[in-house]
Amino acid sequence: MRFDPKVGRRPTLQQARRPALLTARKRIHVSGIVQGIGFRPFVYRLARRCGLTGFVRNTSDGVVAEVEGDPPAIERFLAALAGEHPPFAHIHSTNVTAIEPAGDRDFTIGESGDAPDQFVLVSPDLATCDDCRRDFTNPRDRRSGYPFTNCTNCGPRYTIILDIPYDRPATTMQPFRMCPACRAEYQDPADRRFHAQPNACPECGPSLTLETAGEPPLHGNAEVLREARRLFAAGAIVAIRGLGGFQLACDAENPDAVRRLRERKRRSGKPFALMARDLAAIERFCAVSAEDRRALEGVARPIAILPRRAGDGIPHEVAPGNRTLGVMLPYTPLHHLLFEDAPYRVLVMTSGNLSEEPIVTGNRQARERLAPLCEAIVLHDREIYMRVDDSVVRTFEGRARVLRRSRGYAPYPVDLGAEAVEVLACGGELKNTFCLTKGHHALLSQHIGDLENYETLDFFRETLHQMKKLFRVEPRVAAYDLHPNYLSTRFALELDGVAKTAVQHHHAHIAACMAENHLRDTVIGIAFDGTGYGTDGAVWGGEFLVADLTGFERRAHLRYVPLAGGDRAIREPWRAALAHLTGAFGEGTLPDLPLWNAIPPKKVDLVRTMLRRSVNTVPTSSCGRLFDAVASLLGLRHEVTYEGQAAIELEAIAAAGIAGSYPFDIAETAPWQIDPCATIRAIVAALGRGDPAAAISARFHNTVAAMILEVALRVRAAERLNRVCLSGGTFQNVYLLTRALEGLRSAGFDVYLHSQVPPNDGGLSLGQAAIANARYCP
C-alpha cells in the first residue's frame, strides 16, 4: 500500500518495514536556522508519513537526515521538506546525496553530533505562540498561570544557548530536570513540545520570586504575579527579569510613576518604550496601519514607532516633545500574565539599567544596581546567558525597517550573496554592533549600545566571545572606524594575529546599504548623520560619495562650519546655531533672535571668541548639526539630553502639506560644497515675519530634500550613475526621507534603503565587514 496524499492513507509500520522491490537511501543535509524551531520533529513526522526509515539528527552545521524507502516516497518527502517546513525555519541550502541502503527498520531522532569547525545558524528568541497562550490562560491546564510556558514554536533560544548543537544540556535549562509529564511531551512525536529544549512546567521548571526592601521574599508564581499587579496599580516601579535582561516597568498612565522612573534612571528626556495589553489597547492611543499590525504581532514582537492620536491619555512624561510612541505587545508568558485581570492597560517597559550602561541580566546584579530605582524586583532562576535588549522598528513603504536590531532579530544573518573571508568588523561608538562573517553570512551582534564606558566594552567582549564560539569564527581580518579614540577602534588595533583595515565612517554606511541590497557596482551614496571621522580629520556628516565596496570618492558635502567646545557642541545645539549664523551674517552684529534670551550672554561671547580665534573648534559638514542649528533658531531645543533630540523635535513640529523651500548654493569646484548660508538667512527672515515654526520646519526639510536631488543630478550627469543608496541616522527622519524619495524617484533614480539593519550607526559594522571582505577577497 502506497501513501496517497489525496486520501491521507499511509502504510502501517509493518508495511513500512516490508522490503520493497526497489529501495533507495538518501542523505539530506539542511543548513540555515533549523535548530530550536521544531525541525527534527517535523522531519520525523514527515518521514513516518511517507513510510520511510532512517534517522534525523542535529549537527554543528545544521540538520542531517537519512531516509530509506521507495524512490517515489523519497521524492514526496523531499518536496514536503521544502514546502511544509516549520514557519520559523529558514532553509539556506539542502544537499541531497544518494547512498547505499542500510536496512533500517524504523525512523528515529538520533544523538546530536559536533563536527569541528562547522557551524549552524541559531534562532532568535521567539514570541509566545497562540497555543502556549491558550495553555497558560486555561484554568484547567496544568500550565495555568505558568510564566515560562513554551514549545517548539516559541520561547527562548539565543538568550539561553551555551553552545551548538542546540540541545537542552547546552542551554541554561540544563539544571531543570523534566518531570514525567514534561518528559512524555518531549518524547511524543505528536506533541508540539516534542524535543522543545526549554520545555518546563510548574512542577519542574523555573519559578518567580519577588523581593521588596525590608520584607521577606515572596515565592510562588501566582503570588508573585498577583503582588506585581497590585504594585503597578498602586503606582510602584518594579524591575522584572525578562527574556534577555531586566526591565523597569510602571503604569504608563500614572504621570507621577513615570516622572519618578525618569528621575531615578537619569533619563531626563529620552522617550520610554511602552508595552500594551493587546492591539486594541494600542489602537486607543496610536494610529496603527496594516503594516504596523504585522510588525507588532510578528514573531519578533519589536517596539514599533507609531504616530500618537490626539488626546491619547498617555502622559507627556512618557515621550516629551514627540508625535510618536514606541509600543510593543507582550512577548513572553510573564508579560502576558502581568496584564491578566489588571486595572492598567499599558506599562512603561524600559531597559533595566542606569542610563548608558548595559542591561542588567543577573539576580545579584539586579539587587545591587536596580534596587535603588524601584520598589520591588521580580526575579527568576533561569539564567540569561546572552543579554539582549528589545528591538525597534518603524514601518515605511509597506516594510518594517529596523532601527535597533536585537531581540527577535539577532543573531539572524544578513546574506552577503557570496562567500566571504572571516572578518570581525568592530562597528562605531554610538549604537554599537559588531559583525562576524562566515561563509556567505554576515552575523551581526545584538545592539551593544554606546561604547563610551568599560562596562559596555565588557558586554562587547562577552558577546564577541560567545558568537565566535557559536558560529566557529576565527577572524582573519579586523575592520574598524577611522576615529582613533573610539573604544571599538582601540579594541581592533590591540588584536593579535589578524590583518587590520580602517574604514571611513560614511563609506561604511553606504556599504551597509549596498550589502543588504546585494549591490556590487558603483553607486551614488548619500550619507547624512551627526558625526563621522573624515579622511581629512574633520567631522563629516553631510556626504555625497561615489562608492563601491572597495573605495569611494567624496563628490560633495555640506560646507564646513566650525563647532566650538568639542562634545559640548553636540549637547548644546545653540553652539551650532551660532556657528551657522556667523557663517551667514559674518562676525559683526548678529540678528536679534529669541535664542539670545535663552543663553547667558557670557556664554555667547565666549563661543563667539572661540569661533573668531579658532580655539577648541573643529570643522564639520554634519547634517545632524545643521538640524540642531535650525531647532535652536526656532527655540525648540538649546540643550539635548540624548542623541538626535533636537532633530526629532524639529521633525515633530513640521507641518504637513507645506510646499516650497529655502535657497542654498553649491560651489562649482569639486568636491562641491553645499552652502546653507542662504537657508539660514531665509529662516531668520521668516522668524522676523512671524512665520509659524511648523511651516519653517517643513520648508527646511524640503530644502534638505532639494539639496539631495540637486547634487544627485549633478553626480549622475558627471558619472552616468543612477543607483542611489541613502544611509545614516538622519534618514530615520520620515518627513525628510519621504520628500527626498519623491524627488529622486521623480527624476528617475533607483533608490535603495535599509530594512534589515539600521540606517544609523547600528548598521556600520555590516558595511565595515563588506568593505573588508572586498579588500581581502576581491
Side-chain angles (χ1 to χ4, degrees):
M1 182 186 300
R2 302 290 187 194
F3 172 68
D4 186 346
K6 293 181 180 179
V7 297
R9 300 177 66 187
R10 52 174 67 87
T12 65
L13 185 59
Q14 291 74 19
Q15 289 169 327
R17 291 172 176 170
R18 189 178 300 157
L21 295 176
L22 180 62
T23 298
R25 187 178 184 93
K26 292 192 176 180
R27 176 181 292 126
I28 303 111
H29 174 251
V30 185
S31 68
I33 294 184
V34 289
Q35 293 188 18
I37 41 75
F39 198 81
R40 285 179 301 169
F42 158 69
V43 172
Y44 175 92
R45 289 189 288 268
L46 180 59
R48 298 283 296 235
R49 189 180 89 189
C50 293
L52 301 173
T53 64
F55 66 86
V56 61
R57 64 186 177 97
N58 279 344
T59 72
S60 53
D61 62 347
V63 167
V64 169
E66 292 188 8
V67 294
E68 185 169 329
D70 294 344
I74 293 177
E75 292 306 311
R76 289 195 298 272
F77 171 88
L78 293 174
L81 188 72
E84 300 177 18
H85 59 71
F88 306 125
H90 293 268
I91 295 177
H92 289 176
S93 67
T94 303
N95 295 317
V96 181
T97 307
I99 58 177
E100 287 297 316
D104 292 331
R105 297 185 60 79
D106 209 340
F107 194 91
T108 61
I109 294 182
E111 294 289 327
S112 296
D114 186 3
D117 300 324
Q118 299 298 314
F119 81 106
V120 66
L121 297 175
V122 175
S123 170
D125 301 291
L126 305 173
T128 301
C129 70
D130 291 341
D131 289 330
C132 281
R133 188 176 180 188
R134 279 189 285 270
D135 289 345
F136 63 73
T137 55
N138 181 357
R140 293 182 296 277
D141 193 279
R142 71 186 188 93
R143 290 187 173 84
S144 176
Y146 185 56
F148 302 95
T149 304
N150 66 86
C151 69
T152 55
N153 297 321
C154 68
R157 299 295 188 270
Y158 180 55
T159 50
I160 65 169
I161 188 169
L162 307 177
D163 205 350
I164 56 172
Y166 176 71
D167 289 309
R168 195 178 181 103
T171 73
T172 61
M173 285 297 295
Q174 188 274 335
F176 300 96
R177 185 174 181 180
M178 282 184 277
C179 66
C182 286
R183 173 63 63 181
E185 293 169 334
Y186 185 86
Q187 294 175 337
D188 180 2
D191 197 287
R192 76 174 194 279
R193 295 188 172 96
F194 183 42
H195 280 253
Q197 305 307 331
N199 189 30
C201 74
E203 296 298 317
C204 63
S207 59
L208 298 176
T209 300
L210 187 143
E211 294 183 359
T212 307
E215 300 289 337
L218 179 65
H219 300 288
N221 296 321
E223 292 79 4
V224 168
L225 288 163
R226 189 179 305 115
E227 178 63 8
R229 289 191 288 261
R230 187 193 71 77
L231 287 166
F232 284 135
I237 299 167
V238 180
I240 302 163
R241 196 182 197 191
L243 188 63
F246 276 84
Q247 296 166 306
L248 289 165
C250 68
D251 181 357
E253 295 181 274
N254 184 323
D256 179 64
V258 178
R259 273 193 298 269
R260 284 186 288 112
L261 178 56
R262 193 171 285 286
E263 290 166 3
R264 294 178 188 180
K265 194 173 159 68
R266 303 176 199 166
R267 188 166 174 166
S268 57
K270 195 172 185 180
F272 281 135
L274 302 179
M275 179 177 282
R277 179 199 308 274
D278 52 29
L279 191 62
I282 295 176
E283 290 176 325
R284 289 185 178 183
F285 52 85
C286 285
V288 183
S289 69
E291 293 82 9
D292 294 329
R293 188 174 298 110
R294 282 193 289 271
L296 286 163
E297 295 182 329
V299 69
R301 287 291 200 284
I303 298 167
I305 306 299
L306 303 173
R308 301 179 71 155
R309 293 189 186 278
D312 55 29
I314 300 298
H316 167 81
E317 290 83 357
V318 168
N322 275 256
R323 282 185 175 178
T324 60
L325 293 171
V327 193
M328 59 184 154
L329 290 170
Y331 55 85
T332 70
L334 174 57
H335 292 136
H336 284 285
L337 291 165
L338 286 172
F339 284 101
E340 190 173 66
D341 299 325
Y344 45 83
R345 59 178 179 167
V346 58
L347 295 172
V348 167
M349 194 69 68
T350 189
S351 304
N353 57 356
L354 282 171
S355 183
E356 309 310 327
E357 291 185 0
I359 187 172
V360 171
T361 57
N363 290 340
R364 184 172 66 179
Q365 188 186 19
R367 294 184 185 103
E368 295 170 355
R369 304 293 290 162
L370 301 183
L373 310 184
C374 59
E375 279 71 54
I377 306 177
V378 175
L379 310 167
H380 64 71
D381 51 352
R382 184 182 70 203
E383 292 305 312
I384 298 168
Y385 193 67
M386 292 294 288
R387 75 182 81 208
V388 177
D389 216 328
D390 294 317
S391 294
V392 181
V393 304
R394 191 169 190 172
T395 61
F396 182 76
E397 294 191 334
R399 299 179 68 175
R401 298 181 187 273
V402 175
L403 303 181
R404 183 170 76 191
R405 193 175 189 270
S406 210
R407 176 190 52 77
Y409 293 88
Y412 189 73
V414 175
D415 182 11
L416 294 173
E419 291 291 312
V421 296
E422 294 191 7
V423 171
L424 164 62
C426 295
E429 180 176 64
L430 301 180
K431 300 178 175 63
N432 178 267
T433 63
F434 64 80
C435 179
L436 295 166
T437 57
K438 179 88 172 184
H440 56 90
H441 303 296
L443 303 154
L444 274 76
S445 73
Q446 66 270 34
H447 171 77
I448 301 294
D450 294 348
L451 273 183
E452 297 179 319
N453 55 62
Y454 282 95
E455 293 85 358
T456 310
L457 183 59
D458 284 342
F459 176 24
F460 178 103
R461 288 192 179 107
E462 71 185 30
T463 307
L464 175 60
H465 172 78
Q466 172 68 350
M467 287 187 64
K468 285 172 62 178
K469 179 176 70 172
L470 279 181
F471 299 115
R472 310 296 199 255
V473 180
E474 284 300 329
R476 290 173 43 203
V477 183
Y480 57 92
D481 192 274
L482 277 179
H483 199 298
N485 294 327
Y486 283 1
L487 288 180
S488 56
T489 296
R490 294 179 183 178
F491 176 87
L493 293 175
E494 290 171 3
L495 293 173
D496 294 324
V498 297
K500 300 178 179 73
T501 187
V503 179
Q504 200 280 322
H505 188 95
H506 300 94
H507 186 204
H509 270 308
I510 299 307
C513 188
M514 293 179 67
E516 73 163 287
N517 287 289
H518 290 178
L519 301 176
R520 297 287 182 269
D521 297 330
T522 305
V523 301
I524 302 170
I526 305 174
F528 279 12
D529 63 4
T531 300
Y533 196 81
T535 55
D536 57 359
V539 177
W540 292 8
E543 310 306 312
F544 293 80
L545 311 179
V546 171
D548 60 18
L549 296 180
T550 61
F552 72 94
E553 294 181 19
R554 189 187 194 197
R555 287 303 174 87
H557 59 86
L558 287 173
R559 183 181 67 85
Y560 283 139
V561 295
L563 286 184
D567 287 346
R568 277 185 175 273
I570 298 173
R571 296 192 298 271
E572 299 177 1
W574 68 267
R575 293 174 181 252
L578 183 54
H580 277 282
L581 285 168
T582 302
F585 292 94
E587 295 180 354
T589 302
L590 294 176
D592 185 20
L593 294 168
L595 162 64
W596 312 127
N597 299 324
I599 311 299
K602 286 186 177 180
K603 276 192 171 185
V604 175
D605 291 342
L606 175 61
V607 172
R608 293 193 72 180
T609 300
M610 293 169 68
L611 293 172
R612 186 171 59 252
R613 297 179 180 178
S614 298
V615 174
N616 193 20
T617 63
V618 60
T620 183
S621 60
S622 167
C623 188
R625 300 293 79 81
L626 178 59
F627 271 78
D628 285 354
V630 175
S632 182
L633 289 175
L634 298 188
L636 296 176
R637 178 66 54 181
H638 305 306
E639 294 186 14
V640 300
T641 59
Y642 63 92
E643 186 201 11
Q645 184 177 13
I648 290 169
E649 294 180 5
L650 184 62
E651 178 190 5
I653 69 160
I658 298 291
S661 60
Y662 297 123
F664 59 90
D665 297 301
I666 301 178
E668 294 302 324
T669 56
W672 305 310
Q673 291 202 42
I674 307 150
D675 189 346
C677 285
T679 305
I680 298 297
R681 289 191 291 268
I683 289 172
V684 170
L687 287 168
R689 292 192 302 269
D691 289 1
I696 296 173
S697 173
R699 291 191 180 98
F700 169 70
H701 282 81
N702 296 346
T703 302
V704 178
M707 292 175 182
I708 289 170
L709 176 58
E710 177 60 28
V711 176
L713 289 168
R714 292 191 182 199
V715 176
R716 180 167 68 181
E719 300 291 335
R720 297 187 179 182
L721 297 173
N722 205 57
R723 289 180 172 178
V724 175
C725 288
L726 302 181
S727 190
T730 300
F731 288 113
Q732 293 176 164
N733 182 321
V734 172
Y735 199 102
L736 172 64
L737 180 60
T738 300
R739 281 145 189 80
L741 285 173
E742 287 172 354
L744 291 167
R745 287 172 176 162
S746 66
F749 286 98
D750 298 322
V751 188
Y752 296 86
L753 309 177
H754 290 276
S755 61
Q756 298 179 65
V757 301
N760 59 49
D761 286 5
L764 279 179
S765 61
L766 174 62
Q768 291 173 347
I771 290 167
N773 182 63
R775 290 175 180 174
Y776 285 85
C777 185

